[in-house]
């Protein structure tokens, strides 16, 4: 065990079993302290004051940009745009790039395993601009269906044939790095290579909301064009997130919102804007959020992303083994741990095979202080594809233990007893 | 046995009363709860009866419901259809959240209360 759950104040409540980190993660003391410190000791605006506490706030704010850039191995910190979260990051790209780029008959490709924030945005854009939305399917294992010449579904294979989908008219592939329902880790690097081979002009946007908190991500290695993630799922505060984009791309885009901070010069007839990333950060930003995110990155880096991933692999293996041992229970997604993160969605059935409604499962778990998410997890197209109205989702993070899993399994058995 | 899943609730969930649809009906409505995907439909046959010499009222002669949902929403719909048979439109309109809570006899969190109240919402919609 590498982590002290006691570093997370909320976990001092020993009764609590928190298995909903895919929705939002818990916060360590150091993150809470960093936010508290800003509000208690230097709560000034950034980029404005010439006095000490404003200078300090600005410094901390920009330091975090550096930290984040280094954390995801971006070429430069000017590629890091602070947003309110993954959702805003994706909407920013749709507005400041997509709206002006996707024309009549142009194509946007996405997948059936997306969170609504990386699906509805593109559906709406395609509709407004007369574009076409194409959706990649998943197989029974929850892996993307990308076929090779022989019609076989390939996955780890470097020869990913997306050629039936990506055409000269495709402007964007919007794809999640890790599924928030199935836990599937998509082979982004290989996919990008193949997409660029088919159409060098097609951009790739990756939704990293479920990846950045759990594994090492490397912008220069992945080869994608945009990457979006949220602070609150990686031990940071809510209301802060990141859009990473290749610099030339960000430079070529129009601003997302207009206002203070993002302008270079304003006259009655004309305004010029600052360079990337300031161009995209109009108004007073979420200073405390950024500073809290910086503390979260420090926390994660001190442990090491490889160590975190290893811990989650062990936990996921354990929970898969335990849950697979129960009758009348279906786990969705792949059993191959090398391509799966610590997100487990499942359903419980009674003896005659009727689905026990996920809400009833959650209710019984709630009574034993076990927090899981139930419903469609903002992924309705995927649930429709799986042919289920909803599911129960247990998601793991660095502070979870085998004991948490034991309690989950015991409660699920209790559900089965009640509904037998 | 967990008190939320009292015998009576599980019984009404597993063997819902008045489940199905009506051949002849005068009123119907359907609603869903997008948060859980619960869906309830109700069909009602109202009958005019004489209350006094010059006053006629409509009362529920028959009622059926259908749909899918969690144990709380299905049991609540089943119990409600039993409760309201013979009630007048006015009586139906004056049913409240408290009546449902009493009917179920359990304490509910705000989220689960929505499941329990879906059937009442649908019932009252039928006469709007
Ligand atoms: C895969 C994925 N994408 C996007 C989001 C949206 O993140 P946020 O609500 O922080 O904008 C989530 C979180 O729910 C997610 O799991």
């Amino acid at each position: 065990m590498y982590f002290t759950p006691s570093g997370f104040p909320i976990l001092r409540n020993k009764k609590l079993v928190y298995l909903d980190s895919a929705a939002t993660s818990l916060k360590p003391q150091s993150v809470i302290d960093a936010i508290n410190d800003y509000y208690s000791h230097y709560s000034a605006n950034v980029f404005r004051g010439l006095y000490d506490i404003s200078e300090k706030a600005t410094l901390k704010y920009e330091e975090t940009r550096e930290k984040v850039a280094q954390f995801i191995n971006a070429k430069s910190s000017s590629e890091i745009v602070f947003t309110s979260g993954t959702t805003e990051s994706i909407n920013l790209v749709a507005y400041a790039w997509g709206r002006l780029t996707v024309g009549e008959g142009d194509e946007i490709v996405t997948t059936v395993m997306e969170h609504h924030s990386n699906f509805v945005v593109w559906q709406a854009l395609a509709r407004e601009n007369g574009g076409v939305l194409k959706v990649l399917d998943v197989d029974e294992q929850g892996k993307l269906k990308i076929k090779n010449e022989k019609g076989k579904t390939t996955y780890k294979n470097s020869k990913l044939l997306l050629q039936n989908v990506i055409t000269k008219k495709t402007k964007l592939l919007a794809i999640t790095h890790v599924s928030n329902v199935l836990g599937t880790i998509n082979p982004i690097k290989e996919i990008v290579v193949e997409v660029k081979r088919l159409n060098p002009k097609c951009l790739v946007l990756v939704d990293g909301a479920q990846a950045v908190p759990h594994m090492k991500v490397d912008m220069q290695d992945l080869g994608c064009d945009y990457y979006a993630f949220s602070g609150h799922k990686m031990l940071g505060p809510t209301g802060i997130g990141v859009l990473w984009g290749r610099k030339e791309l960000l430079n070529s885009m129009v601003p997302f919102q207009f206002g203070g901070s993002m302008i270079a010069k304003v006259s009655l007839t004309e305004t010029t804007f600052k360079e990337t990333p300031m161009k995209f950060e109009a108004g007073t930003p979420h200073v405390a959020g950024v500073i809290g995110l910086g503390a979260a990155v420090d926390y994660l880096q001190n442990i090491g992303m490889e160590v975190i991933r290893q811990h989650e692999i062990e936990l996921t293996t354990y929970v898969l083994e335990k849950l697979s041992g129960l009758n009348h229970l279906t786990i969705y997604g792949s059993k191959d741990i090398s391509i799966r993160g610590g997100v487990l969605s499942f359903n419980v059935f009674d003896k005659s095979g009727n689905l026990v409604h996920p809400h009833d499962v959650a209710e019984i778990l709630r009574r034993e202080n076990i927090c899981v998410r139930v419903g469609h997890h903002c992924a309705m197209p995927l649930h429709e594809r799986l042919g289920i109205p909803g599911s129960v989702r247990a998601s793991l993070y660095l502070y979870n233990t085998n004991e948490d899993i034991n309690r989950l399994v015991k409660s699920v058995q209790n559900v089965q007893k009640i509904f037998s | 046995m967990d008190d939320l899943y009292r015998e009576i609730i599980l019984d009404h969930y597993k063997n819902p009363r008045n489940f199905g649809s009506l051949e002849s009906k005068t009123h119907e409505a359907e609603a869903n709860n997008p948060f859980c995907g619960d869906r309830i439909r109700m069909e009602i046959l109202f009958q005019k009866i004489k209350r006094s010499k010059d006053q006629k009222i409509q009362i529920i002669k028959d009622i059926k419901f259908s749909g899918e949902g969690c144990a709380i929403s299905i049991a609540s719909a089943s119990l409600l259809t039993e409760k309201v048979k013979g009630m007048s439109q006015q009586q139906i309109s004056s049913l409240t959240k408290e009546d449902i809570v009493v009917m179920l006899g359990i304490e509910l969190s705000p989220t689960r209360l929505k499941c329990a109240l879906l059937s009442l919402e649908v019932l009252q919609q039928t006469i709007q």
Side-chain angles (χ1 to χ4, degrees):
Chain A
M1 188 61 225
Y2 321 99
F3 324 103
T4 44
S6 61
F8 291 77
I10 208 168
L11 290 176
R12 284 178 207 145
N13 171 2
K14 290 275 179 289
K15 286 196 207 131
L16 190 72
V17 175
Y18 188 75
L19 296 172
D20 198 16
S21 294
T24 197
S25 69
L26 304 178
K27 319 301 172 204
Q29 190 65 52
S30 60
V31 168
I32 299 167
D33 286 347
I35 295 166
N36 202 1
D37 189 38
Y38 165 69
Y39 282 128
S40 307
H41 298 118
Y42 59 104
S43 63
N45 212 326
V46 287
F47 308 120
R48 288 160 172 79
L50 294 177
Y51 44 89
D52 289 357
I53 58 171
S54 174
E55 297 280 16
K56 179 169 178 188
T58 307
L59 195 73
K60 288 275 186 187
Y61 187 88
E62 286 304 314
E63 248 176 43
T64 300
R65 204 189 298 277
E66 289 287 342
K67 266 180 208 171
V68 171
Q70 190 231 332
F71 185 57
I72 62 171
N73 196 27
K75 252 193 200 146
S76 134
S77 66
S78 59
E79 296 183 329
I80 304 294
V81 179
F82 290 124
T83 64
S84 69
T86 308
T87 304
E88 192 178 73
S89 297
I90 297 172
N91 276 273
L92 190 162
V93 174
Y95 185 89
W97 173 82
R99 205 169 41 101
L100 306 175
T101 313
V102 176
E104 192 80 30
D106 284 340
E107 298 163 356
I108 302 171
V109 177
T110 185
T111 86
V112 75
M113 68 164 89
E114 299 307 312
H115 184 277
H116 293 161
S117 60
N118 199 25
F119 190 88
V120 183
V121 176
W122 307 117
Q123 194 178 49
L125 179 73
R127 179 150 310 156
E128 272 168 31
N129 283 18
V132 179
L133 185 73
K134 290 179 169 177
V135 184
L136 291 170
D137 197 13
V138 294
D139 66 13
E140 300 314 313
Q141 297 280 302
K143 294 184 286 192
L144 273 185
K145 269 191 186 163
I146 310 168
K147 305 207 176 199
N148 68 14
E149 300 101 311
K150 295 186 195 99
K152 278 198 189 132
T153 302
T154 64
Y155 187 66
K156 279 191 225 161
N157 194 324
S158 62
K159 199 128 184 65
L160 291 166
L161 291 180
L162 286 154
Q163 63 198 21
N164 298 332
V165 188
I166 305 289
T167 71
K168 291 286 173 240
K169 284 188 163 178
T170 314
K171 296 284 182 192
L172 180 77
L173 168 65
I175 183 172
T176 193
H177 197 162
V178 177
S179 159
N180 70 320
V181 178
L182 302 166
T184 317
I185 305 170
N186 286 317
I188 297 297
K189 189 176 173 179
E190 282 108 277
I191 290 174
V192 172
V193 168
E194 183 63 4
V195 167
K196 300 285 177 182
R197 188 184 69 81
L198 293 165
N199 177 356
K201 288 199 186 133
C202 176
L203 301 188
V204 180
L205 175 143
V206 178
D207 172 353
Q210 299 294 346
V212 178
H214 305 282
M215 60 191 70
K216 178 85 195 123
V217 299
D218 183 329
M219 293 308 113
Q220 299 186 57
D221 183 53
L222 285 177
C224 57
D225 301 285
Y226 297 111
Y227 198 97
F229 56 101
S230 298
H232 69 96
K233 293 184 200 283
M234 51 184 285
L235 311 182
T238 56
I240 193 72
V242 171
L243 171 68
W244 169 85
R246 277 193 298 105
K247 185 142 179 212
E248 322 81 84
L249 214 51
L250 292 177
N251 279 338
S252 70
M253 285 154 64
V254 298
F256 175 41
Q257 291 178 331
F258 300 97
S261 293
M262 51 80 71
I263 50 91
K265 185 164 185 289
V266 181
S267 74
L268 287 183
T269 50
E270 209 179 349
T271 296
T272 50
F273 306 114
K274 282 198 184 139
E275 304 251 293
T276 302
M278 296 307 293
K279 181 167 82 179
F280 298 107
E281 294 178 13
T284 298
H286 185 8
V287 183
V290 168
I291 289 167
L293 177 64
V297 169
D298 287 342
Y299 192 98
L300 291 171
Q301 272 187 321
N302 278 340
I303 296 169
M305 295 314 290
E306 287 80 12
V307 176
I308 293 170
R309 171 75 182 132
Q310 189 53 39
H311 175 66
E312 290 180 18
I313 286 178
E314 282 161 25
L315 275 181
T316 309
T317 308
Y318 186 64
V319 70
L320 274 174
E321 181 191 303
K322 284 275 173 179
L323 286 179
S324 306
L326 300 182
N327 289 326
H328 313 297
L329 187 138
T330 303
I331 304 170
Y332 304 102
S334 173
K335 301 268 154 38
D336 178 355
I337 211 79
S338 70
I339 56 153
R340 146 158 228 162
V343 180
L344 285 113
S345 296
F346 60 91
N347 269 316
V348 181
F349 299 84
D350 67 16
K351 270 192 208 127
S352 18
N354 299 312
L355 176 74
V356 176
H357 195 290
H359 277 76
D360 292 317
V361 179
E363 182 67 38
I364 292 164
L365 265 49
R366 176 183 80 83
R367 283 157 181 257
E368 297 177 26
N369 284 299
I370 300 172
C371 313
V372 293
R373 169 101 186 252
V374 292
H376 49 65
H377 322 304
C378 296
M380 279 178 149
L382 179 62
H383 280 82
E384 201 180 315
R385 170 68 182 82
L386 297 172
I388 49 174
S391 56
V392 184
R393 181 183 74 186
S395 52
L396 309 164
Y397 207 4
L398 48 85
Y399 34 69
N400 288 118
T401 62
N402 280 2
E403 180 51 26
D404 292 340
I405 311 249
N406 292 341
R407 282 182 54 193
L408 170 73
V409 172
K410 211 167 140 230
S411 285
V412 169
Q413 285 172 312
N414 190 26
V415 171
Q416 295 185 317
K417 218 184 292 158
I418 290 173
F419 280 87
S420 63
Chain B
M1 172 79 59
D2 197 296
D3 59 345
L4 179 66
Y5 292 92
R6 292 188 312 139
E7 210 62 71
I8 180 162
I9 300 221
L10 283 174
D11 177 38
H12 276 261
Y13 171 59
K14 288 177 184 165
N15 314 294
R17 322 294 198 269
N18 303 310
F19 194 85
S21 54
L22 287 177
E23 292 229 326
S24 63
K25 61 198 170 210
T26 54
H27 293 68
E28 62 195 309
E30 182 173 319
N32 63 352
N33 174 348
F35 176 70
C36 357
D38 290 357
R39 184 184 62 84
I40 299 279
R41 174 181 175 75
M42 285 201 177
E43 300 182 357
I44 301 181
L45 177 63
F46 275 102
Q47 184 184 37
K48 277 203 182 102
I49 58 158
K50 240 191 184 154
R51 197 188 209 177
S52 59
K53 245 188 236 140
D54 39 28
Q55 196 195 9
K56 274 190 179 165
I57 57 163
Q58 302 239 27
I59 63 156
I60 294 186
K61 178 143 189 277
D62 204 359
I63 178 167
K64 292 249 171 169
F65 86 98
S66 56
E68 59 256 358
C70 61
I72 301 296
S73 67
I74 296 297
S76 164
S78 171
L79 284 158
L80 188 64
T81 56
E82 287 197 318
K83 180 183 167 83
V84 299
K85 269 195 195 163
M87 274 193 184
S88 69
Q89 293 204 349
Q90 202 200 339
Q91 281 173 307
I92 291 167
S93 321
S94 58
L95 287 172
T96 62
K97 179 175 107 183
E98 280 68 39
D99 294 317
I100 301 296
V101 173
V102 170
M103 177 185 85
L104 291 169
I106 49 174
E107 270 197 46
L108 291 167
S109 67
T111 314
R112 298 316 300 280
L113 193 59
K114 286 202 192 104
C115 304
L117 292 176
L118 182 62
S119 52
L120 178 62
E121 187 191 315
V122 176
L123 176 68
Q124 293 179 332
Q125 265 179 28
T126 62
I127 54 170
Q128 265 164 19

